Amino acid sequence: MTIKAIFFDLDDTLHDHLYPFSKAFKDTFPLLYEYMDVTSLYKKFRDFSDLLWKQYSTQQLTLEELRIARIVMALEYFQKGITNEQASRFQTQYEINSGSLQLFAEVPTLINEIKTQGKLVGIITNGPVQHQFNKINSLGLTSYVSRDHIFISDGVGVAKPNKQIFQHVAQKVNMIPSEIIYIGDSWPNDVVAPMEAGWKAIWYNHRKRLPDTGHKPLAEINQLLSIIDIVKEES
């Protein structure tokens, strides 16, 4: 089946999400920053964020509660305790830092090359609509991706890892699932969920995370430009 569309995750797939996290952690917890492995902490932060998102999407948690809980739980995993007030200060700094995001350097070349091959390019991301669009606009992604092909979970009404968001997108772009590839860094959100919806998936595993299930993605990569040859092969 010929591939007709490539959809990307946003956070830590098209831009470096570790940078604003690391800077916020250093600014908020300078003593902890001196001796903690911030990359390992960030991975757990993302894991707990994905886990808690299921509760947020079913209205068991507010967005603010999720944002407080994920950093508290990540630090508890490493046996470091913080208060909710400290977690709130961290979140405030994290949001400030997220206003100066930068695309991974290879992203413009990658997207332009995929479009040159005649493929539709889109984005599927979890989050509040305005918050995620602020990042998308700040990153300049609207220069590369049509607004009609950007799908944000709170706007759709369902979030990854629920496969229904991928089913919704396939219907919106009028394609069958096997014609679409999804690329992202999260195993449950960006590999398992799209594959369960019949899509093909490429795991951008640049943080060297471990899979949680036996799903077999189309490829596992640590360099985004590897996607160009994979898409050519599938076409």
Side-chain angles (χ1 to χ4, degrees), residues 9-68:
D9 171 49
L10 177 63
D11 295 324
D12 219 37
T13 296
L14 296 177
H15 70 89
D16 184 3
H17 215 219
L18 175 58
Y19 167 74
F21 175 89
S22 180
K23 188 173 187 304
F25 189 73
K26 181 179 181 181
D27 291 344
T28 311
F29 307 109
L31 296 179
L32 285 177
Y33 180 85
E34 289 299 319
Y35 62 87
M36 284 197 71
D37 180 349
V38 178
T39 300
S40 295
L41 176 65
Y42 171 74
K43 290 179 185 178
K44 296 310 298 183
F45 174 83
R46 289 292 303 277
D47 288 345
F48 284 121
S49 186
D50 290 345
L51 180 68
L52 293 165
W53 201 269
K54 298 175 186 177
Q55 296 178 49
Y56 166 69
S57 62
T58 55
Q59 299 182 332
Q60 297 175 62
L61 285 177
T62 67
L63 185 60
E64 184 60 29
E65 287 170 337
L66 179 153
R67 288 169 168 172
I68 295 298

Short mmCIF file of all heavy atoms in Angstrom, two decimals, residues 9-68:
data_model
loop_
_atom_site.label_atom_id
_atom_site.label_comp_id
_atom_site.label_asym_id
_atom_site.label_seq_id
_atom_site.Cartn_x
_atom_site.Cartn_y
_atom_site.Cartn_z
N ASP A 9 4.13 13.53 15.86
CA ASP A 9 3.95 14.06 17.21
C ASP A 9 4.65 15.41 17.26
O ASP A 9 5.50 15.71 16.41
CB ASP A 9 4.57 13.06 18.20
CG ASP A 9 4.65 13.59 19.61
OD1 ASP A 9 3.64 14.09 20.12
OD2 ASP A 9 5.74 13.50 20.20
N LEU A 10 4.34 16.22 18.27
CA LEU A 10 4.99 17.54 18.39
C LEU A 10 6.12 17.54 19.42
O LEU A 10 7.29 17.70 19.07
CB LEU A 10 3.95 18.59 18.77
CG LEU A 10 4.49 20.01 19.02
CD1 LEU A 10 5.11 20.59 17.76
CD2 LEU A 10 3.38 20.92 19.56
N ASP A 11 5.76 17.34 20.69
CA ASP A 11 6.70 17.56 21.79
C ASP A 11 7.76 16.46 21.87
O ASP A 11 7.46 15.28 22.01
CB ASP A 11 5.95 17.65 23.12
CG ASP A 11 5.03 18.85 23.16
OD1 ASP A 11 5.40 19.90 22.61
OD2 ASP A 11 3.92 18.74 23.74
N ASP A 12 9.00 16.90 21.77
CA ASP A 12 10.19 16.05 21.79
C ASP A 12 10.31 15.16 20.56
O ASP A 12 11.10 14.24 20.53
CB ASP A 12 10.29 15.21 23.07
CG ASP A 12 11.73 15.13 23.56
OD1 ASP A 12 12.44 16.14 23.45
OD2 ASP A 12 12.16 14.06 24.04
N THR A 13 9.52 15.48 19.54
CA THR A 13 9.69 14.84 18.23
C THR A 13 10.13 15.88 17.21
O THR A 13 11.10 15.67 16.49
CB THR A 13 8.38 14.16 17.78
OG1 THR A 13 8.07 13.10 18.69
CG2 THR A 13 8.50 13.60 16.37
N LEU A 14 9.44 17.01 17.17
CA LEU A 14 9.82 18.08 16.25
C LEU A 14 10.66 19.16 16.92
O LEU A 14 11.34 19.93 16.25
CB LEU A 14 8.57 18.70 15.62
CG LEU A 14 7.75 17.76 14.73
CD1 LEU A 14 6.51 18.48 14.21
CD2 LEU A 14 8.59 17.24 13.57
N HIS A 15 10.61 19.21 18.24
CA HIS A 15 11.45 20.17 18.97
C HIS A 15 11.99 19.51 20.24
O HIS A 15 11.47 18.49 20.70
CB HIS A 15 10.68 21.44 19.32
CG HIS A 15 9.63 21.24 20.37
ND1 HIS A 15 9.91 21.37 21.73
CD2 HIS A 15 8.32 20.93 20.29
CE1 HIS A 15 8.81 21.14 22.42
NE2 HIS A 15 7.83 20.88 21.58
N ASP A 16 13.03 20.11 20.79
CA ASP A 16 13.71 19.56 21.96
C ASP A 16 12.94 19.94 23.23
O ASP A 16 13.10 21.04 23.74
CB ASP A 16 15.15 20.07 22.02
CG ASP A 16 15.94 19.47 23.17
OD1 ASP A 16 15.39 18.61 23.89
OD2 ASP A 16 17.11 19.86 23.34
N HIS A 17 12.15 19.02 23.75
CA HIS A 17 11.36 19.28 24.94
C HIS A 17 12.20 19.18 26.22
O HIS A 17 11.78 19.66 27.27
CB HIS A 17 10.21 18.28 25.00
CG HIS A 17 8.95 18.82 25.57
ND1 HIS A 17 8.13 18.09 26.39
CD2 HIS A 17 8.34 20.03 25.45
CE1 HIS A 17 7.09 18.81 26.75
NE2 HIS A 17 7.19 19.99 26.18
N LEU A 18 13.36 18.55 26.12
CA LEU A 18 14.23 18.43 27.29
C LEU A 18 14.81 19.78 27.70
O LEU A 18 14.99 20.04 28.90
CB LEU A 18 15.37 17.44 27.00
CG LEU A 18 16.45 17.27 28.08
CD1 LEU A 18 15.85 16.83 29.41
CD2 LEU A 18 17.51 16.28 27.60
N TYR A 19 15.08 20.65 26.74
CA TYR A 19 15.72 21.93 27.05
C TYR A 19 14.90 22.77 28.03
O TYR A 19 15.41 23.19 29.08
CB TYR A 19 16.01 22.72 25.78
CG TYR A 19 16.37 24.16 26.06
CD1 TYR A 19 17.62 24.49 26.58
CD2 TYR A 19 15.45 25.19 25.86
CE1 TYR A 19 17.95 25.80 26.88
CE2 TYR A 19 15.77 26.50 26.16
CZ TYR A 19 17.02 26.80 26.66
OH TYR A 19 17.32 28.10 26.97
N PRO A 20 13.60 23.06 27.75
CA PRO A 20 12.86 23.88 28.72
C PRO A 20 12.67 23.19 30.06
O PRO A 20 12.63 23.84 31.10
CB PRO A 20 11.51 24.13 28.02
CG PRO A 20 11.40 23.06 27.00
CD PRO A 20 12.79 22.76 26.56
N PHE A 21 12.56 21.85 30.03
CA PHE A 21 12.44 21.09 31.28
C PHE A 21 13.71 21.24 32.12
O PHE A 21 13.66 21.55 33.31
CB PHE A 21 12.19 19.61 30.98
CG PHE A 21 12.15 18.74 32.21
CD1 PHE A 21 10.98 18.53 32.89
CD2 PHE A 21 13.31 18.13 32.67
CE1 PHE A 21 10.94 17.74 34.03
CE2 PHE A 21 13.29 17.34 33.81
CZ PHE A 21 12.11 17.14 34.48
N SER A 22 14.86 21.02 31.49
CA SER A 22 16.14 21.08 32.20
C SER A 22 16.40 22.46 32.78
O SER A 22 16.83 22.60 33.94
CB SER A 22 17.27 20.68 31.26
OG SER A 22 18.52 20.73 31.92
N LYS A 23 16.10 23.48 32.00
CA LYS A 23 16.33 24.85 32.47
C LYS A 23 15.40 25.19 33.63
O LYS A 23 15.81 25.80 34.62
CB LYS A 23 16.14 25.84 31.34
CG LYS A 23 16.54 27.27 31.68
CD LYS A 23 16.48 28.17 30.47
CE LYS A 23 17.03 29.55 30.77
NZ LYS A 23 16.37 30.20 31.92
N ALA A 24 14.13 24.77 33.54
CA ALA A 24 13.18 25.03 34.61
C ALA A 24 13.59 24.29 35.88
O ALA A 24 13.46 24.82 36.99
CB ALA A 24 11.77 24.61 34.19
N PHE A 25 14.08 23.08 35.73
CA PHE A 25 14.49 22.29 36.89
C PHE A 25 15.71 22.94 37.56
O PHE A 25 15.78 23.05 38.79
CB PHE A 25 14.82 20.86 36.48
CG PHE A 25 15.05 19.94 37.65
CD1 PHE A 25 13.99 19.51 38.43
CD2 PHE A 25 16.32 19.52 37.97
CE1 PHE A 25 14.20 18.67 39.52
CE2 PHE A 25 16.54 18.68 39.06
CZ PHE A 25 15.47 18.26 39.83
N LYS A 26 16.64 23.40 36.75
CA LYS A 26 17.83 24.07 37.30
C LYS A 26 17.44 25.35 38.03
O LYS A 26 17.96 25.64 39.12
CB LYS A 26 18.81 24.38 36.17
CG LYS A 26 20.10 25.05 36.65
CD LYS A 26 21.04 25.30 35.48
CE LYS A 26 22.34 25.93 35.96
NZ LYS A 26 23.26 26.20 34.81
N ASP A 27 16.54 26.13 37.45
CA ASP A 27 16.13 27.39 38.06
C ASP A 27 15.33 27.19 39.35
O ASP A 27 15.44 27.99 40.29
CB ASP A 27 15.29 28.20 37.06
CG ASP A 27 16.10 28.71 35.88
OD1 ASP A 27 17.34 28.70 35.97
OD2 ASP A 27 15.49 29.09 34.87
N THR A 28 14.52 26.12 39.38
CA THR A 28 13.64 25.90 40.53
C THR A 28 14.30 25.09 41.63
O THR A 28 14.08 25.35 42.82
CB THR A 28 12.35 25.17 40.07
OG1 THR A 28 11.81 25.83 38.92
CG2 THR A 28 11.31 25.16 41.19
N PHE A 29 15.13 24.13 41.25
CA PHE A 29 15.77 23.23 42.22
C PHE A 29 17.28 23.17 41.98
O PHE A 29 17.82 22.13 41.58
CB PHE A 29 15.17 21.81 42.11
CG PHE A 29 13.68 21.76 42.20
CD1 PHE A 29 12.91 21.48 41.08
CD2 PHE A 29 13.02 21.98 43.40
CE1 PHE A 29 11.53 21.41 41.15
CE2 PHE A 29 11.64 21.93 43.49
CZ PHE A 29 10.89 21.65 42.37
N PRO A 30 17.98 24.29 42.18
CA PRO A 30 19.42 24.32 41.84
C PRO A 30 20.26 23.28 42.57
O PRO A 30 21.22 22.74 41.99
CB PRO A 30 19.84 25.75 42.21
CG PRO A 30 18.78 26.24 43.14
CD PRO A 30 17.52 25.58 42.72
N LEU A 31 19.91 22.97 43.82
CA LEU A 31 20.70 21.98 44.56
C LEU A 31 20.48 20.57 44.02
O LEU A 31 21.43 19.80 43.84
CB LEU A 31 20.35 22.03 46.05
CG LEU A 31 20.71 23.34 46.76
CD1 LEU A 31 20.30 23.30 48.23
CD2 LEU A 31 22.20 23.64 46.64
N LEU A 32 19.22 20.23 43.73
CA LEU A 32 18.94 18.92 43.15
C LEU A 32 19.57 18.79 41.76
O LEU A 32 20.07 17.73 41.38
CB LEU A 32 17.43 18.70 43.03
CG LEU A 32 16.66 18.40 44.32
CD1 LEU A 32 15.17 18.30 44.03
CD2 LEU A 32 17.17 17.11 44.95
N TYR A 33 19.56 19.88 41.02
CA TYR A 33 20.10 19.87 39.66
C TYR A 33 21.58 19.48 39.64
O TYR A 33 22.04 18.84 38.69
CB TYR A 33 19.91 21.25 39.03
CG TYR A 33 20.43 21.35 37.61
CD1 TYR A 33 19.63 20.96 36.53
CD2 TYR A 33 21.71 21.84 37.34
CE1 TYR A 33 20.09 21.05 35.23
CE2 TYR A 33 22.18 21.93 36.04
CZ TYR A 33 21.37 21.54 34.98
OH TYR A 33 21.83 21.62 33.70
N GLU A 34 22.29 19.84 40.70
CA GLU A 34 23.74 19.60 40.74
C GLU A 34 24.09 18.12 40.70
O GLU A 34 25.13 17.74 40.18
CB GLU A 34 24.36 20.25 41.99
CG GLU A 34 24.40 21.76 41.95
CD GLU A 34 25.23 22.29 40.79
OE1 GLU A 34 26.31 21.71 40.52
OE2 GLU A 34 24.80 23.27 40.15
N TYR A 35 23.22 17.28 41.26
CA TYR A 35 23.64 15.87 41.34
C TYR A 35 22.63 14.88 40.74
O TYR A 35 22.86 13.67 40.77
CB TYR A 35 23.95 15.47 42.78
CG TYR A 35 22.81 15.55 43.75
CD1 TYR A 35 21.94 14.49 43.92
CD2 TYR A 35 22.60 16.70 44.52
CE1 TYR A 35 20.89 14.55 44.82
CE2 TYR A 35 21.56 16.77 45.42
CZ TYR A 35 20.71 15.69 45.58
OH TYR A 35 19.66 15.77 46.47
N MET A 36 21.53 15.38 40.20
CA MET A 36 20.58 14.47 39.56
C MET A 36 20.83 14.35 38.07
O MET A 36 21.29 15.29 37.42
CB MET A 36 19.14 14.95 39.80
CG MET A 36 18.62 14.68 41.19
SD MET A 36 16.80 14.79 41.26
CE MET A 36 16.34 13.31 40.37
N ASP A 37 20.52 13.18 37.51
CA ASP A 37 20.57 12.97 36.07
C ASP A 37 19.25 13.51 35.50
O ASP A 37 18.21 12.86 35.57
CB ASP A 37 20.71 11.48 35.77
CG ASP A 37 20.75 11.17 34.27
OD1 ASP A 37 20.46 12.09 33.46
OD2 ASP A 37 21.07 10.03 33.90
N VAL A 38 19.31 14.71 34.96
CA VAL A 38 18.10 15.39 34.52
C VAL A 38 17.45 14.67 33.33
O VAL A 38 16.23 14.66 33.20
CB VAL A 38 18.38 16.87 34.19
CG1 VAL A 38 17.13 17.57 33.68
CG2 VAL A 38 18.90 17.59 35.42
N THR A 39 18.25 14.05 32.48
CA THR A 39 17.68 13.32 31.35
C THR A 39 16.84 12.15 31.82
O THR A 39 15.73 11.90 31.32
CB THR A 39 18.79 12.83 30.41
OG1 THR A 39 19.52 13.96 29.91
CG2 THR A 39 18.21 12.06 29.23
N SER A 40 17.33 11.41 32.82
CA SER A 40 16.56 10.29 33.37
C SER A 40 15.29 10.80 34.06
O SER A 40 14.22 10.19 33.95
CB SER A 40 17.41 9.50 34.38
OG SER A 40 18.50 8.89 33.72
N LEU A 41 15.42 11.91 34.77
CA LEU A 41 14.25 12.51 35.41
C LEU A 41 13.22 12.92 34.37
O LEU A 41 12.01 12.70 34.54
CB LEU A 41 14.67 13.72 36.25
CG LEU A 41 13.54 14.50 36.92
CD1 LEU A 41 12.82 13.65 37.96
CD2 LEU A 41 14.09 15.78 37.57
N TYR A 42 13.69 13.52 33.28
CA TYR A 42 12.79 13.96 32.22
C TYR A 42 12.03 12.78 31.62
O TYR A 42 10.83 12.88 31.34
CB TYR A 42 13.59 14.67 31.13
CG TYR A 42 12.79 14.97 29.89
CD1 TYR A 42 11.85 15.99 29.87
CD2 TYR A 42 12.96 14.21 28.73
CE1 TYR A 42 11.10 16.26 28.74
CE2 TYR A 42 12.21 14.46 27.59
CZ TYR A 42 11.29 15.48 27.60
OH TYR A 42 10.54 15.73 26.47
N LYS A 43 12.69 11.65 31.42
CA LYS A 43 12.02 10.47 30.87
C LYS A 43 10.88 10.02 31.78
O LYS A 43 9.79 9.69 31.31
CB LYS A 43 13.02 9.33 30.68
CG LYS A 43 14.04 9.55 29.57
CD LYS A 43 14.99 8.36 29.49
CE LYS A 43 16.09 8.58 28.47
NZ LYS A 43 17.04 7.44 28.43
N LYS A 44 11.13 10.02 33.10
CA LYS A 44 10.07 9.62 34.03
C LYS A 44 8.96 10.67 34.05
O LYS A 44 7.78 10.34 34.16
CB LYS A 44 10.63 9.42 35.44
CG LYS A 44 11.63 8.29 35.59
CD LYS A 44 11.13 6.98 35.00
CE LYS A 44 9.89 6.44 35.65
NZ LYS A 44 9.48 5.12 35.10
N PHE A 45 9.33 11.93 33.94
CA PHE A 45 8.36 13.02 33.87
C PHE A 45 7.42 12.80 32.69
O PHE A 45 6.19 12.93 32.81
CB PHE A 45 9.12 14.34 33.73
CG PHE A 45 8.29 15.56 33.50
CD1 PHE A 45 7.70 16.23 34.56
CD2 PHE A 45 8.13 16.08 32.22
CE1 PHE A 45 6.96 17.39 34.36
CE2 PHE A 45 7.40 17.23 32.00
CZ PHE A 45 6.81 17.88 33.08
N ARG A 46 7.98 12.44 31.54
CA ARG A 46 7.16 12.17 30.36
C ARG A 46 6.30 10.92 30.56
O ARG A 46 5.14 10.88 30.15
CB ARG A 46 8.04 12.00 29.12
CG ARG A 46 8.69 13.27 28.61
CD ARG A 46 7.71 14.27 28.05
NE ARG A 46 6.90 13.72 26.96
CZ ARG A 46 7.29 13.65 25.69
NH1 ARG A 46 8.48 14.11 25.33
NH2 ARG A 46 6.50 13.14 24.77
N ASP A 47 6.87 9.89 31.19
CA ASP A 47 6.11 8.66 31.44
C ASP A 47 4.90 8.96 32.32
O ASP A 47 3.79 8.50 32.03
CB ASP A 47 6.99 7.61 32.13
CG ASP A 47 8.04 7.01 31.20
OD1 ASP A 47 7.90 7.17 29.97
OD2 ASP A 47 8.98 6.38 31.71
N PHE A 48 5.12 9.72 33.40
CA PHE A 48 4.01 10.03 34.30
C PHE A 48 3.01 10.98 33.64
O PHE A 48 1.81 10.90 33.89
CB PHE A 48 4.53 10.60 35.61
CG PHE A 48 5.12 9.57 36.53
CD1 PHE A 48 6.43 9.65 36.96
CD2 PHE A 48 4.34 8.50 36.97
CE1 PHE A 48 6.97 8.69 37.79
CE2 PHE A 48 4.87 7.53 37.80
CZ PHE A 48 6.19 7.62 38.22
N SER A 49 3.50 11.86 32.79
CA SER A 49 2.60 12.76 32.06
C SER A 49 1.67 11.96 31.16
O SER A 49 0.46 12.21 31.11
CB SER A 49 3.42 13.76 31.24
OG SER A 49 2.59 14.73 30.64
N ASP A 50 2.23 10.98 30.44
CA ASP A 50 1.41 10.12 29.58
C ASP A 50 0.39 9.33 30.41
O ASP A 50 -0.76 9.18 30.01
CB ASP A 50 2.30 9.15 28.79
CG ASP A 50 3.12 9.84 27.73
OD1 ASP A 50 2.83 11.00 27.39
OD2 ASP A 50 4.08 9.22 27.22
N LEU A 51 0.85 8.81 31.55
CA LEU A 51 -0.03 8.03 32.41
C LEU A 51 -1.19 8.87 32.95
O LEU A 51 -2.36 8.47 32.90
CB LEU A 51 0.78 7.45 33.58
CG LEU A 51 0.02 6.60 34.60
CD1 LEU A 51 -0.45 5.30 33.95
CD2 LEU A 51 0.93 6.29 35.79
N LEU A 52 -0.86 10.07 33.43
CA LEU A 52 -1.87 10.95 34.01
C LEU A 52 -2.80 11.54 32.96
O LEU A 52 -3.93 11.93 33.28
CB LEU A 52 -1.19 12.07 34.79
CG LEU A 52 -0.44 11.63 36.06
CD1 LEU A 52 0.50 12.73 36.54
CD2 LEU A 52 -1.41 11.24 37.16
N TRP A 53 -2.32 11.61 31.72
CA TRP A 53 -3.16 12.18 30.67
C TRP A 53 -4.45 11.39 30.49
O TRP A 53 -5.50 11.94 30.16
CB TRP A 53 -2.40 12.26 29.34
CG TRP A 53 -3.03 13.27 28.44
CD1 TRP A 53 -4.01 13.06 27.52
CD2 TRP A 53 -2.76 14.67 28.42
NE1 TRP A 53 -4.36 14.24 26.91
CE2 TRP A 53 -3.59 15.24 27.45
CE3 TRP A 53 -1.87 15.49 29.13
CZ2 TRP A 53 -3.58 16.60 27.17
CZ3 TRP A 53 -1.86 16.84 28.83
CH2 TRP A 53 -2.71 17.38 27.87
N LYS A 54 -4.38 10.09 30.74
CA LYS A 54 -5.59 9.27 30.62
C LYS A 54 -6.63 9.74 31.63
O LYS A 54 -7.83 9.78 31.32
CB LYS A 54 -5.24 7.80 30.87
CG LYS A 54 -4.26 7.21 29.86
CD LYS A 54 -3.87 5.79 30.24
CE LYS A 54 -2.78 5.24 29.34
NZ LYS A 54 -2.35 3.88 29.74
N GLN A 55 -6.18 10.09 32.83
CA GLN A 55 -7.12 10.58 33.86
C GLN A 55 -7.63 11.98 33.51
O GLN A 55 -8.79 12.30 33.76
CB GLN A 55 -6.43 10.59 35.23
CG GLN A 55 -6.04 9.20 35.71
CD GLN A 55 -5.32 9.26 37.04
OE1 GLN A 55 -5.79 9.90 37.98
NE2 GLN A 55 -4.18 8.60 37.13
N TYR A 56 -6.75 12.81 32.94
CA TYR A 56 -7.18 14.14 32.52
C TYR A 56 -8.22 14.06 31.41
O TYR A 56 -9.23 14.77 31.43
CB TYR A 56 -5.97 14.95 32.05
CG TYR A 56 -6.32 16.20 31.29
CD1 TYR A 56 -6.91 17.29 31.93
CD2 TYR A 56 -6.08 16.30 29.91
CE1 TYR A 56 -7.26 18.44 31.24
CE2 TYR A 56 -6.42 17.45 29.22
CZ TYR A 56 -7.01 18.52 29.88
OH TYR A 56 -7.35 19.65 29.18
N SER A 57 -7.99 13.15 30.45
CA SER A 57 -8.90 13.06 29.30
C SER A 57 -10.27 12.50 29.68
O SER A 57 -11.24 12.68 28.95
CB SER A 57 -8.27 12.20 28.19
OG SER A 57 -8.06 10.87 28.63
N THR A 58 -10.35 11.83 30.84
CA THR A 58 -11.64 11.34 31.33
C THR A 58 -12.16 12.21 32.49
O THR A 58 -13.05 11.81 33.23
CB THR A 58 -11.55 9.88 31.79
OG1 THR A 58 -10.51 9.74 32.77
CG2 THR A 58 -11.25 8.97 30.61
N GLN A 59 -11.53 13.39 32.63
CA GLN A 59 -11.96 14.41 33.61
C GLN A 59 -11.82 13.95 35.06
O GLN A 59 -12.51 14.46 35.95
CB GLN A 59 -13.40 14.86 33.32
CG GLN A 59 -13.55 15.49 31.94
CD GLN A 59 -14.95 15.99 31.66
OE1 GLN A 59 -15.92 15.47 32.19
NE2 GLN A 59 -15.06 17.02 30.83
N GLN A 60 -10.92 13.01 35.30
CA GLN A 60 -10.61 12.61 36.67
C GLN A 60 -9.60 13.57 37.31
O GLN A 60 -9.49 13.63 38.53
CB GLN A 60 -10.05 11.19 36.70
CG GLN A 60 -11.02 10.13 36.20
CD GLN A 60 -10.37 8.77 36.14
OE1 GLN A 60 -9.95 8.22 37.15
NE2 GLN A 60 -10.29 8.20 34.94
N LEU A 61 -8.86 14.27 36.47
CA LEU A 61 -7.89 15.27 36.92
C LEU A 61 -8.08 16.55 36.12
O LEU A 61 -8.44 16.50 34.94
CB LEU A 61 -6.44 14.79 36.67
CG LEU A 61 -5.82 13.73 37.56
CD1 LEU A 61 -4.43 13.41 37.04
CD2 LEU A 61 -5.74 14.20 39.00
N THR A 62 -7.82 17.69 36.74
CA THR A 62 -7.74 18.93 35.98
C THR A 62 -6.35 19.02 35.36
O THR A 62 -5.42 18.29 35.75
CB THR A 62 -7.96 20.15 36.88
OG1 THR A 62 -6.85 20.25 37.80
CG2 THR A 62 -9.27 20.05 37.64
N LEU A 63 -6.19 19.91 34.40
CA LEU A 63 -4.89 20.09 33.77
C LEU A 63 -3.85 20.55 34.79
O LEU A 63 -2.71 20.09 34.79
CB LEU A 63 -5.00 21.10 32.63
CG LEU A 63 -3.73 21.31 31.79
CD1 LEU A 63 -3.29 20.01 31.13
CD2 LEU A 63 -3.98 22.39 30.74
N GLU A 64 -4.26 21.44 35.69
CA GLU A 64 -3.34 21.93 36.71
C GLU A 64 -2.91 20.79 37.65
O GLU A 64 -1.73 20.68 38.02
CB GLU A 64 -3.98 23.06 37.51
CG GLU A 64 -3.06 23.70 38.54
CD GLU A 64 -1.82 24.33 37.91
OE1 GLU A 64 -1.88 24.76 36.75
OE2 GLU A 64 -0.77 24.37 38.59
N GLU A 65 -3.84 19.93 38.02
CA GLU A 65 -3.51 18.79 38.88
C GLU A 65 -2.54 17.85 38.18
O GLU A 65 -1.61 17.33 38.80
CB GLU A 65 -4.79 18.04 39.27
CG GLU A 65 -5.65 18.79 40.28
CD GLU A 65 -7.01 18.16 40.48
OE1 GLU A 65 -7.48 17.43 39.57
OE2 GLU A 65 -7.62 18.40 41.54
N LEU A 66 -2.75 17.63 36.89
CA LEU A 66 -1.84 16.80 36.13
C LEU A 66 -0.43 17.39 36.13
O LEU A 66 0.57 16.68 36.37
CB LEU A 66 -2.34 16.65 34.69
CG LEU A 66 -1.50 15.82 33.71
CD1 LEU A 66 -2.40 15.22 32.63
CD2 LEU A 66 -0.41 16.66 33.03
N ARG A 67 -0.35 18.68 35.88
CA ARG A 67 0.96 19.33 35.79
C ARG A 67 1.71 19.31 37.11
O ARG A 67 2.94 19.22 37.13
CB ARG A 67 0.78 20.76 35.28
CG ARG A 67 0.40 20.81 33.81
CD ARG A 67 -0.03 22.20 33.38
NE ARG A 67 -0.11 22.30 31.92
CZ ARG A 67 -0.61 23.34 31.27
NH1 ARG A 67 -1.09 24.38 31.95
NH2 ARG A 67 -0.64 23.34 29.94
N ILE A 68 0.99 19.41 38.22
CA ILE A 68 1.62 19.32 39.54
C ILE A 68 2.07 17.89 39.81
O ILE A 68 3.19 17.64 40.24
CB ILE A 68 0.63 19.79 40.63
CG1 ILE A 68 0.29 21.27 40.47
CG2 ILE A 68 1.19 19.50 42.03
CD1 ILE A 68 1.46 22.20 40.60
#
